[in-house]
Amino acid sequence: MAASELYTKCARVWIPDAEEVWKSAELTKDYKNGDPSLQLMLEDGTSLEHKLDPKTKNLPYLRNPDILVGENDLTALSYLHEPAVLHNLKVRFVDSKLIYTYCGIVLVAINPYETLPIYGSDIINAYSGQNMGDMDPHIFAVAEEAYKQMARDERNQSIIVSGESGAGKTVSAKYAMRYFATVSGSASEANVEEKVLASNPIMEAIGNAKTTRNDNSSRFGKYIEIGFDTRFRIIGANMRTYLLEKSRVVFQADEERNYHIFYQLCASSHLPEFKTLKANANDFLYTRQGRSPVIDGVDDTKELCTTRNAFTLLGINESYQMGLFQPNNRHLTAFCDLVGVTYQDMSQWLCHRKLKTATETYIKTIPRLQATNARDALSKHIYAKLFNWIVEHVNKALITNVKQHSFIGVLDIYGFETFEINSFEQFCINYANEKLQQQFNMHVFKLEQEEYMKEQIPWTLIDFYDNQPCINLIEAKMGVLDLLDEECKMPKGSDDSWAQKLYNTHLKTCSLFEKPRMSNRAFIIQHFADKVEYQCDGFLAKNKDTVNEEQINVLKASKFDLLVELFQDEEKATSPTGQVQGTGGRTRLSIKPDKSREKSSKEHKKTVGCQFRNSLQMLMETLNATTPHYVRCIKPNDFKLAFTFDPKRAVQQLRACGVLETIRISAAGFPSRWTYQEFFSRYRVLMKQKDVLPDKKMTCRNVLEKLVQDQDKYQFGKTKIFFRAGQVAYLEKLRADKLRAACIRIQKTIRCWLARKKYLRKRSAAITIQRYTRGYQARCLAKFMRRTQAATIIQKYQRMYVEKKRYRQKQAAALAMQTILRAYMARQKYQALLREHKAVIIQKRVRGWLARCWYKRCLVSIVYLQCCIRRMRARRELKKLKIEARSVEHFKKLNKGMENKIMQLQRRIDEQSKENRTVNERLIGLESSYTAETERMRGDLNRLRGVEEEAKNKTNQVTSLLEELERLRKELSATQQEKKTIEDWAQTYRDEMEKMVSELKDQNGSLKKEKDDLNRLIQEQSQQMTEKMARAIAQETQQLETDLNEERSRYQNLLTEHLRLEEKYDDLKEEMVSSNVSKPGHRRTDSTHSSNESEYTYNSEYAELEEGSRAAEDVTRGIDTSLTLKLQKRLTELEQEKQSLRNELENKEEQFQRARARDDAEFKKARGAELEYESLKRQELESENKKLKHNLAEMRQSLLGDAAAGAGAPGSPAYKVLLEQLNASCEELDVRKEEVLILRSQLVSQKEAMHHKETMTEPSVYAEDVSKLKDADELKQACIGLKDTNRLLEHQVQTQRRTYENEVEALRGELQNVKEENNRQQQLLAQNLQLPPEARIEASLQHEITRLTNENLDLMEQLEKQDRTIRKLKKQLKQGQTEGQTSPGQMVEEPIHPVNIPRREKDFQGMLEYKKEDELKLVKNLILELKPRGVAVNLIPGLPAYILFMCLRHADYVNDDQKVRTLLTSTINSIKKILKKRGDDFETVSFWLANTCRFLHCLKQYSGDEAFMKHNTSRQNEHCLSNFDLAEYRQVISDLAIQIYQQLIKCMENILQPMIVSGMLEHETIQGVSGVKPTGLRKRTSSIADEGTYTLDSILRQLSAFHSTMCQHGTDPELIKQVVKQQFYIIGAVTLNNLLLRKDMCSWSKGMQIRYNVSQLEEWLRDKGLMTCGAKETLEPLIQAAQLLQVKKKTDEDAEAICSMCLALTTAQIVKVLNLYTPVNEFEERVSVAFIRTIQTRLRDRCESPQLLMDTKMIYPVTFPFSPSSLALETIQIPSSLNLAFSRDKYLLLFCEGVLVIICSHV
């Protein structure tokens, strides 16, 4: 493909960068051939001109599309080069927090420097059995692949873990070993897998140390072979070690430590067993040089405890451990005491040296430096010997006597090393890595070649780096190692002379060997990873590894046994040492020390380099004989920062570990590979309809030829299409362009539609606006015209009104003037007449006044006297009123009733008001009379004044009259003043009364308000208490239920463990018996066992086992006596724990029952208080009724008594009074009767409402009510009659209702059956229509056969019913004939002849008799050899259970406890036996689960316990057991049912497990929604349905098969619901776990697929009527995970919505899904890191388990609700197909009117 097509504008490339190694940029201008530079723009917006190399003209690397970034496999990248690999690793590590990535066959593991929750047992179980490409990259996936290939290919495997210090090699190797130990288990109970894992803490303690790069750096290499038997279970292990760094024992750099074991001992010096050591890390030179004795976060005391436990587990006892833990003290005396040597000898040979000549021996003092070196050499040698001894004993502990069938080796070895100063250690390490890299390159090349040959693709030899020249430089003849060994043999050999030899030999002949410019004591070797400069100083000394012989002899003479054992095989000549030790403080331990001791002395004198070369050669031979698996560990940064990625350090390691070489080899060929189906599904959008052919392969070929013109860019294989690097990116670009064009077209069409819709909407709106505007204008014109016309009319009438008003005003003025004038004239005339008339009147009055003067004086005197008397009385009355007013407060205190006080005061106020009104009236009368008199006097005075002149002569009389007048005036003023005073007092009194009344009213209102507040408060408190009590009861009930479920779960788990131990115990007994058999050919297999089962008895089995166990007693002793004791002890403990849990479960149930009873009692108590109040009210009414009756009786008696005397005659007053009292009493009695009836009706309604709470029956309530009202005879009779009538009516109504409901229910059942049959027919028809013609015919035939079979079964049942009816009628007919033919007179003696007496038909009693010797035959025919399918199809469900119970009833009837015990024991053991034999058959397990539950229900139903007899008929109650209480056996059978249930769940899980992931995740139920992304070398399972691929329909069919099987077997509906709930939990948990471990499944389209699949499962639940079983709730985590994949994930509102939505998911699961979310198309967006951090912040306060995966092994606790059977035992007929004739033909147990009759069948 031309560069101009790829390097276009907006294309992204990688350019080199000094800081980030590679930096991304984007082209701002198209590239044309010949351009000297590229115009780029960096991600930060900076413009850049990138100059091209004028010689090579190499363009920068292209960047992969974003859709390919973050892939699980680096080989899935279209552009395979260094920047693409580095960027992909960085995105996965930093953004997605994923530390594992595939690179072809290599697993790249980046050290996160943080503990991650991805290594638990749940993760191990999730990866177990999975294909390597199906799950996300993980060390467990590599381990599973190795384990699977070992089992499949019968070939040994190796896992090679490499990397530099601090990269995580040891942890990766440890997790791989843990995976093997967990998945495979061990072949015996010797805990081999635990011993294998226990070797890790020991080796870490003695071989790991803290360095500047790693806190737990392995300072040696190791290769562990884990052995497996023929069943691929761990049987043992073996360990090889390489290059122990002995120099660390005596020297550590800054910030480093010695080996962990020293610091563990120092930290544990406070323990009693270590006090004698007096160890302190700061007191020793060997432990304080690094000045870092403590590691943050590591407890050395705890680590020592772990190490000691591991020693104990591996069989190293306490004495040896204490010997190992003897440290070197700072004083020589203490050291000698600890190691048991003499002080003189040790001090002598630490400071002196022995020189031998031919004739004499000299002892020479050595300098201090040499003495120090000798001391250090001795220390290193002792530690190396101790290391050797520990490894040897660890291997001995891991060796087993079982033959090893295969093994998996785990190689934990150092990676390529280069430092500022590189010595002999780095030389050996890099030499080993050269060998491993060569093996790696050859293996990768071999796999590529095999793939091409398999697909029949022409291939050419790929050019890859071959490091054989470098290996030859090191190990060939006259190589570096050869020259080094030769120099060591020279008497005066030195590092300088060896360097000169290297220069002379290789400097001019080998291009890989160089000499530094500024040094003559160093050399440079060009390794595969980089150039390394080695310093020659110390090479010879480290290669020789010299130790003083006399020091060794002193140690051999030690009193310390362990020290003597370490050096017992030490050779006298120790220079060079004969141990297979590592160089410069590193050692290699032999795997087989016994053989190494037998080697010749010449072999022991090999140099360290020679030994290392030989051991490396052995390692390579081992690896070449196995299938290798590679793990490359990468250290992301040098500062141990969590999830921090340093590109420079990463690139260095990627180059050194061979990952980039793998990429280069893959990129040189065809790295991208697609199956034809995947290519077709992905790039279907690039094809036209005419291009699609029936042959997918031909379609892909035609399309590719059109899309890619250069045929060298791809090749067609048998099953795959192979692409060159970059072609997938080109195809993705074409696909994205096509989709983008389609999106543009869709957008164009939608925008056009939206614009047209908007235009039409605007046009319609404009037309509407115009219409309304024109209408508005027309209305305005009409309104204007109406207003103009109205204004004209208004003007007309206004003018008319003005003129009319002016005229009327003028007219009125004229009339007014005339009226005034005429009135004035009339008044003048009237005044004249009036004056004349008044004069006449004055004359008359004066004359009369003179006559009345004397009379008036007398009258005034009389009136004055009356006034005085009345004034005196008024004052007295006023005084009395004041006294009464002041006594109101006292009156209020004396009277208690507030209402009476108010009424009295009101009455008094009314009286005072009345008196006031009287006084006022009197005053008004006096005033009026006085006014009249005054007027009269004034008239007289005027008259007198008129005639004053005429009365001048009577002056004295006038004066007296004036005096009298003055006196009257004074009296009048005094009277007026008194009146005013009285009025003021009355007003004051009225105000005080009103104020008092208002105060009383206020007090009354406040009291009422307080009363209302108190009542409301009481009601609120009562309601709150009720709600609180209800909540507390609900919480307590929920807690009790939770505790009960937990106890059930624990109890059932213990039952499972108990069953497992029993099975292992049985297996051990069988193995012991089989090991004692002399002829293996006679060993019984499963088939012979089943065929000879008819002759097998339990007694013989038990005897055979006892005989076998006695015969194998010696063998058992030889195998493992402690193991048997341990198992027995464990079995006893489990039994005790089982019993305690059973007791605890019973206690919990009792507590639950007591709590429920307490709640009922509290409710009854509360209800009783209300009833007590009602009863008190009723008693009060009854007492009043009695009182009234008593008064009535007394009245009647008095009437009768008075009637005799005649006083009470009719019409007399006494008679009327009594009659009125009698009528009033009768009315009161009627009122009380009505109240009593109302109260009684309320009580009855309340009693009926409490009918479900109380056990009292309705008649008892009526009787109680009647007994309480027995005094009222008439009322009682009326009530009883009414009650009887009501009961009769209610009974009739209930009877009719029940009849109607039964009929309706029957009709509904028939209708439902018809509907189900119709639906089934439609489904079958739809399914048949989808099938091909041949399969359709076969399915139709199968359906017709099934239908005919069901009809035949129904007809057989009807025929059996008719046969029973015929037999019954025949029996009645025979009885009638016998009674009609025989009479007492006809009975004569006749000779007895032997005749055959036919069996009489009697009523069966539901019992079955059998002999004890037939028990085994019964069990065999009924359990062991019974075929579940035949029973389920032809017989009633649960028939074996019914038959066994009938046999048990007979044993109970004859009171044979031995028979009962043996029958139950045989039944239980036989069921266990058949389940052990056929436990993987779902039909068998389901069949016996249903029958075991039915047998358990029968034991309960016929136990005689009232709690289980409520639903029995009278006939069934007669069948109850009479002699034995089998409650304990019910518990045993319940435990058996639990075990069967768990086995059923495991069987279903084994069947469903392979279907779930394929059907729920991988298969595309909605075709075309999700596209297949490019994949790498690790191919995942295709989502396209093949013939052998499971789909969602497969899961639904399997679930339907499970359901129909359980229904056919008669399983209880409640138990079926529990099974379905467990099934759905397994489906949801497995699907969610795989979703959390598969990055390729976390996409928007996959979320849609999952939600659709879940909806189909819910639809299945609805069809089966199981929506209420709780199965849907178990899918809630999966539903929320699917919703999480589909919701928007950008803003804070989205984060809040996610947190509120995903309540069933843990925080770890939510974050994991967000991290794994991967767009399938370019139009989707990735989840930002900031959004994920926002989610984590919001979910920080959640209290939940940190576990990532759901527990797929969790089983909900099962319960067996009591389900009584309506089937009568006497109606059960035993079919002949069961072969139980021996139980009926010999003796048939019959009953006839209570007399036992036994009829022999052969009379």
Side-chain angles (χ1 to χ4, degrees), residues 635-822:
K635 185 177 182 180
N637 60 83
D638 291 330
F639 305 102
K640 304 175 185 177
L641 300 177
F643 288 103
T644 302
F645 192 80
D646 184 0
K648 288 184 178 181
R649 294 286 291 117
V651 165
Q652 292 174 2
Q653 298 172 74
L654 290 173
R655 293 169 181 169
C657 68
V659 172
L660 296 181
E661 184 66 19
T662 305
I663 292 296
R664 200 188 65 79
I665 294 175
S666 299
F670 298 91
S672 302
R673 297 151 194 190
W674 291 71
T675 64
Y676 290 99
Q677 181 62 49
E678 290 173 346
F679 181 85
F680 180 82
S681 300
R682 182 67 178 176
Y683 299 113
R684 174 65 177 83
V685 295
L686 299 177
M687 306 175 190
K688 297 181 180 179
Q689 186 64 36
K690 62 181 180 179
D691 296 335
V692 180
L693 302 176
D695 187 1
K696 299 291 179 63
K697 187 173 182 179
M698 186 59 64
T699 302
C700 297
R701 184 184 296 271
N702 296 336
V703 170
L704 263 179
E705 290 176 354
K706 293 179 181 179
L707 296 177
V708 183
Q709 302 299 328
D710 188 359
Q711 296 186 0
D712 184 58
K713 299 296 184 180
Y714 57 87
Q715 290 289 340
F716 294 99
K718 294 178 62 177
T719 60
K720 301 176 185 177
I721 306 174
F722 290 71
F723 294 95
R724 295 281 187 189
Q727 296 308 304
V728 173
Y730 174 70
L731 292 175
E732 285 294 318
K733 180 177 180 299
L734 294 179
R735 182 177 183 271
D737 293 342
K738 185 70 175 291
L739 291 176
R740 188 176 293 105
C743 290
I744 292 173
R745 177 171 295 182
I746 293 172
Q747 290 176 352
K748 178 188 68 175
T749 306
I750 292 177
R751 288 171 181 171
C752 174
W753 179 78
L754 292 174
R756 177 171 175 78
K757 187 176 180 181
K758 185 177 181 181
Y759 164 74
L760 293 176
R761 188 164 60 249
K762 287 182 178 180
R763 181 175 179 273
S764 176
I767 293 173
T768 304
I769 291 172
Q770 290 176 354
R771 183 173 72 248
Y772 280 99
T773 302
R774 290 167 181 167
Y776 174 74
Q777 291 177 349
R779 286 191 296 273
C780 289
L781 179 60
K783 186 177 180 181
F784 173 75
M785 294 174 66
R786 285 197 300 270
R787 284 184 176 181
T788 303
Q789 184 180 3
T792 303
I793 295 172
I794 290 172
Q795 287 176 358
K796 178 182 69 174
Y797 282 100
Q798 174 66 19
R799 291 167 183 169
M800 180 185 68
Y801 171 75
V802 171
E803 294 298 328
K804 186 183 290 184
K805 185 177 180 181
R806 188 183 296 116
Y807 168 74
R808 287 180 179 178
Q809 287 178 352
K810 289 180 180 180
Q811 185 183 21
L815 291 174
M817 292 175 63
Q818 292 177 359
T819 302
I820 292 171
L821 181 59
R822 290 171 182 170

Side-chain angles (χ1 to χ4, degrees), residues 149-187:
Q149 289 189 12
M150 177 189 67
R152 181 185 60 202
D153 302 336
E154 297 289 334
R155 180 179 171 85
N156 298 328
Q157 307 290 313
S158 291
I159 298 178
I160 303 172
V161 185
S162 63
E164 71 174 45
S165 178
K169 302 185 301 296
T170 303
V171 175
S172 298
K174 183 172 22 177
Y175 284 134
M177 294 169 59
R178 179 187 296 178
Y179 183 87
F180 296 136
T182 304
V183 172
S184 63
S186 63

Side-chain angles (χ1 to χ4, degrees), residues 315-356:
I316 300 176
N317 54 34
E318 289 290 334
S319 61
Y320 273 104
Q321 290 181 34
M322 296 308 298
L324 294 173
F325 298 150
Q326 300 286 351
N328 294 351
N329 201 278
R330 59 184 172 182
H331 299 295
L332 182 59
T333 305
F335 167 74
C336 295
D337 292 339
L338 288 173
V339 299
V341 299
T342 61
Y343 175 80
Q344 293 78 9
D345 293 341
M346 184 54 66
S347 61
Q348 170 74 12
W349 297 114
L350 281 175
C351 300
H352 296 78
R353 180 182 178 188
K354 181 184 289 187
L355 298 176
K356 292 183 179 181

Side-chain angles (χ1 to χ4, degrees), residues 790-1019:
T792 303
I793 295 172
I794 290 172
Q795 287 176 358
K796 178 182 69 174
Y797 282 100
Q798 174 66 19
R799 291 167 183 169
M800 180 185 68
Y801 171 75
V802 171
E803 294 298 328
K804 186 183 290 184
K805 185 177 180 181
R806 188 183 296 116
Y807 168 74
R808 287 180 179 178
Q809 287 178 352
K810 289 180 180 180
Q811 185 183 21
L815 291 174
M817 292 175 63
Q818 292 177 359
T819 302
I820 292 171
L821 181 59
R822 290 171 182 170
Y824 175 75
M825 294 174 64
R827 282 194 297 273
Q828 290 296 327
K829 187 178 180 179
Y830 172 73
Q831 290 294 335
L833 294 174
L834 184 61
R835 279 194 298 271
E836 291 179 359
H837 180 68
K838 291 295 183 182
V840 174
I841 292 175
I842 290 171
Q843 291 176 356
K844 180 182 65 175
R845 296 288 184 187
V846 169
R847 292 170 184 168
W849 178 77
L850 292 174
R852 288 191 294 272
C853 283
W854 182 85
Y855 173 75
K856 290 294 182 181
R857 284 194 296 270
C858 295
L859 182 61
V860 167
S861 300
I862 294 170
V863 170
Y864 177 75
L865 290 174
Q866 291 177 350
C867 287
C868 290
I869 293 172
R870 289 172 182 170
R871 182 172 67 246
M872 180 182 67
R873 291 181 178 178
R875 287 176 179 172
R876 291 177 181 175
E877 188 67 21
L878 176 63
K879 186 176 181 181
K880 186 183 298 184
L881 289 174
K882 288 183 179 180
I883 293 172
E884 289 177 355
R886 285 194 297 268
S887 63
V888 171
E889 294 295 329
H890 180 64
F891 183 79
K892 186 167 64 174
K893 293 180 182 178
L894 293 177
N895 292 281
K896 296 182 180 179
M898 184 63 65
E899 298 292 332
N900 294 332
K901 294 178 186 178
I902 296 173
M903 292 174 63
Q904 290 175 2
L905 290 174
Q906 188 68 35
R907 186 167 59 251
R908 186 171 295 278
I909 289 171
D910 295 339
E911 292 176 357
Q912 292 295 332
S913 300
K914 189 175 181 181
E915 291 178 1
N916 289 337
R917 283 195 299 272
T918 305
V919 172
N920 290 332
E921 290 175 358
R922 288 171 60 190
L923 290 174
I924 292 170
L926 289 173
E927 186 177 2
S928 62
S929 62
Y930 183 77
T931 304
E933 187 66 25
T934 303
E935 290 293 333
R936 188 178 60 79
M937 286 182 178
R938 285 178 180 174
D940 293 341
L941 181 59
N942 293 329
R943 185 173 54 79
L944 288 173
R945 285 177 180 176
V947 294
E948 184 178 2
E949 293 179 356
E950 296 177 356
K952 287 181 180 180
N953 53 354
K954 296 181 180 177
T955 304
N956 296 330
Q957 187 176 0
V958 173
T959 303
S960 62
L961 288 173
L962 292 172
E963 291 177 355
E964 185 69 21
L965 181 61
E966 186 67 24
R967 186 180 60 79
L968 289 174
R969 286 178 178 173
K970 291 180 180 179
E971 290 180 358
L972 179 61
S973 64
T975 303
Q976 289 177 353
Q977 186 69 28
E978 187 175 359
K979 174 186 175 184
K980 185 177 181 181
T981 303
I982 292 173
E983 289 178 352
D984 293 339
W985 176 85
Q987 184 66 31
T988 304
Y989 181 76
R990 187 181 294 108
D991 294 339
E992 291 178 355
M993 289 296 104
E994 289 178 357
K995 183 178 180 181
M996 185 181 298
V997 171
S998 65
E999 290 178 354
L1000 292 175
K1001 287 182 178 179
D1002 293 340
Q1003 292 179 1
N1004 190 17
S1006 63
L1007 290 174
K1008 288 183 178 180
K1009 186 176 180 180
E1010 291 179 1
K1011 177 184 176 184
D1012 296 337
D1013 293 341
L1014 289 174
N1015 290 333
R1016 186 174 64 256
L1017 183 61
I1018 291 172
Q1019 291 178 357

Side-chain angles (χ1 to χ4, degrees), residues 106-336:
V106 180
L107 176 69
V108 179
I110 305 178
N111 192 347
Y113 289 113
E114 185 178 290
T115 302
L116 300 179
I118 58 173
Y119 301 105
S121 57
D122 53 345
I123 306 291
I124 293 177
N125 294 329
Y127 275 89
S128 178
Q130 299 294 330
N131 294 326
M132 193 169 182
D134 288 347
M135 309 291 284
D136 279 356
H138 203 286
I139 185 65
F140 292 160
V142 176
E144 171 63 24
E145 184 71 10
Y147 186 77
K148 189 183 298 182
Q149 289 189 12
M150 177 189 67
R152 181 185 60 202
D153 302 336
E154 297 289 334
R155 180 179 171 85
N156 298 328
Q157 307 290 313
S158 291
I159 298 178
I160 303 172
V161 185
S162 63
E164 71 174 45
S165 178
K169 302 185 301 296
T170 303
V171 175
S172 298
K174 183 172 22 177
Y175 284 134
M177 294 169 59
R178 179 187 296 178
Y179 183 87
F180 296 136
T182 304
V183 172
S184 63
S186 63
S188 63
E189 290 296 327
N191 299 326
V192 177
E193 71 278 6
E194 294 182 9
K195 291 182 179 180
V196 172
L197 294 179
S199 64
N200 287 324
I202 295 176
M203 301 309 297
E204 288 184 7
I206 65 174
N208 288 25
K210 177 188 176 184
T211 65
T212 56
R213 295 185 176 183
N214 188 7
D215 290 340
N216 188 30
S217 176
S218 298
R219 308 315 301 162
F220 69 103
K222 64 180 177 181
Y223 181 71
I224 300 178
E225 290 183 357
I226 303 174
F228 297 88
D229 60 3
T230 55
R231 298 175 63 182
F232 305 106
R233 296 182 298 181
I234 292 180
I235 58 173
N238 197 5
M239 184 188 307
R240 307 181 201 174
T241 60
Y242 305 91
L243 291 178
L244 175 68
E245 188 182 7
K246 293 191 295 182
S247 60
R248 183 168 292 274
V249 178
V250 298
F251 174 77
Q252 307 93 40
D254 287 343
E255 299 300 325
E256 292 191 357
R257 294 203 319 176
N258 206 327
Y259 290 105
H260 293 325
I261 188 65
F262 297 115
Y263 301 94
Q264 294 176 7
L265 289 171
C266 293
S268 304
S269 60
H270 61 281
L271 299 177
E273 57 267 29
F274 296 115
K275 284 185 178 180
T276 57
L277 302 181
K278 303 176 183 179
N280 188 346
N282 293 323
D283 295 340
F284 299 102
L285 175 65
Y286 289 170
T287 57
R288 71 185 181 202
Q289 296 180 62
R291 292 178 295 183
S292 180
V294 178
I295 301 176
D296 294 338
V298 176
D299 187 356
D300 289 321
T301 304
K302 186 177 179 181
E303 293 297 325
L304 180 64
C305 182
T306 304
T307 304
R308 296 182 65 186
N309 292 335
F311 273 125
T312 303
L313 183 61
L314 292 176
I316 300 176
N317 54 34
E318 289 290 334
S319 61
Y320 273 104
Q321 290 181 34
M322 296 308 298
L324 294 173
F325 298 150
Q326 300 286 351
N328 294 351
N329 201 278
R330 59 184 172 182
H331 299 295
L332 182 59
T333 305
F335 167 74
C336 295

Side-chain angles (χ1 to χ4, degrees), residues 466-481:
D466 187 7
N467 56 352
Q468 185 62 43
C470 184
I471 295 174
N472 293 337
L473 174 63
I474 297 173
E475 68 177 8
K477 187 175 182 180
M478 298 303 291
V480 177
L481 287 178

